Amino acid sequence: MSAPSLNEALALMNQQAFPAAAAICRQHLAVRADDFNARHLLGLIEFKAGQLLAATKDLQKASRLPVAARFKAQALSNLALVLQARGRLENACEALQQAIEYQPKELAFHLNLLGALEKRSDWSSIIAHLNSFTSLQQHPEARLSLAVALRHTDQNQQALALLEPTLNSLDAEAEWALNAAILNQIEPVIEYGQQTDQAAYWLTLVADYMAEEGFATLATPVYQAALELDPSNVSVRHMLSAAAGECTAQAPDAYVEGLYDQHADAFEERLTGRLGYHAPTLLAERLPDFTQGAINTLLDLGCGTGLCGQALQPVLHPRNLIGCDLSQQMLSHAADKSVYTELLHADLMSTLAKPWQADLITATDVLIYTGELSPVLQAAFNALAPGGLFAFTLETCCHSEGVMLDASGRYRHDAQKLLKNAQEQGYEVCVAEEFPLRREQGNMLEGALIILRRPS
């Protein structure tokens, strides 16, 4: 009897039925070991299943098979995605450069290479690549990448000259504004913003970009100009507090909701791509050592686009996987992943107030918007079943108060003070380890992975 078709394997992969999909590919490879389509698809299935080492090996094998250049290039491009997920950025860049050698006109390969080089903060290589492929500079994303690289190499005037003729997107306008501000030209930036159709909105987004890039001082007058136009804007007030070093109890819900509604469509590519974020993968590696039996209810706080649920579902197989988030736009993307049994448009405290009896509660890159975590710890404790786990990540700091509001608008916590607080509330500490959380301003931001247990 012949094996099911590879189209069936592809359909099974899209349904998250990874073992069955991989089995079909292996049946084809048992008949013909040099079947490129089967080997390539097997690598993709392993990638989606979180089996990164196996995916690396099979995509490498696929790229070495005697097939047309375009197929080799596609295998190398997908191999680069896997290598990036493994944190092997240099190898990912090498794979993309090989893909470009096979298909130099494929725009996606160039853009992916620029993204990988940006993750490495390899600004000189970005400039060299775009000088070698000058036609790429006509593409808005490549031109913006070049402008960012020029700024990072203190070539702000060149960045301005590159962007000024093509201010046709908010991303380009924000980078232009930042370079202008660095060159002490903040007044023209504010005047430009005041003339846009949604002036307060434009000024706020541009100031957010400046603060995110590490220029909170330059962002302050832009925020103040936005506040003059919209005095009730709690998001702007929050960022002005952050710039002034005033530590509030938590970020306003409207700020968090607006921030993620705005970035929802590009969220995953930016977080896992440019910022090197892999907390859900790390959590999926650690949690199986501490779960006790089957997971009936997994509550994913601040689930966003569903990255954590997607990572944990094939590993823990929870009967009920419930996500909540303030951003409806993010929830729409989470729904597309088809891994959640229920999605709630709600904040974490109102979600935790329900009588869940959860076996596991997760909160990856969520508590960065809450300064006072004692109520969250207590609410999570009450929502857990005996023996249940609360697993979360933090941005970390050493601070006498145990917490600080960073100029980015996010809170950083002293992990040791938080652990002491958790133990006082009755938790047992299973895991408390530092890890590189995400890239910020060219450097990896230190974070902590915490796994707590409510005693049985």
Side-chain angles (χ1 to χ4, degrees), residues 276-325:
Y277 176 75
H278 67 283
T281 303
L282 182 61
L283 207 58
E285 293 172 355
R286 296 288 187 273
L287 279 169
D289 293 335
F290 300 97
T291 52
Q292 298 175 338
I295 301 292
N296 183 51
T297 299
L298 193 168
L299 184 59
D300 186 14
L301 303 175
C303 65
T305 60
L307 288 172
C308 192
Q310 187 178 44
L312 294 180
Q313 197 277 337
V315 176
L316 300 178
H317 309 289
R319 182 177 300 174
N320 299 296
L321 177 50
I322 301 156
C324 79
D325 204 276

Side-chain angles (χ1 to χ4, degrees), residues 84 89 93 111-123 125-126 141-142 144-146 148-149 151-152 175 209 213 269-270 273-275 439 441-443:
Q84 288 187 61
L89 290 175
C93 290
L111 296 180
N112 288 342
L113 175 60
L114 294 173
L117 291 170
E118 185 173 332
K119 291 176 204 172
R120 296 185 65 202
S121 300
D122 191 349
W123 311 115
S125 291
I126 290 174
E141 190 173 335
L144 179 58
S145 181
L146 177 56
V148 171
R151 167 167 60 83
H152 278 279
E175 181 61 30
Y209 180 74
E213 290 295 299
E269 187 279 329
R270 184 172 183 278
R274 295 184 180 183
L275 302 186
R439 189 169 287 99
Q441 300 162 30
N443 299 309

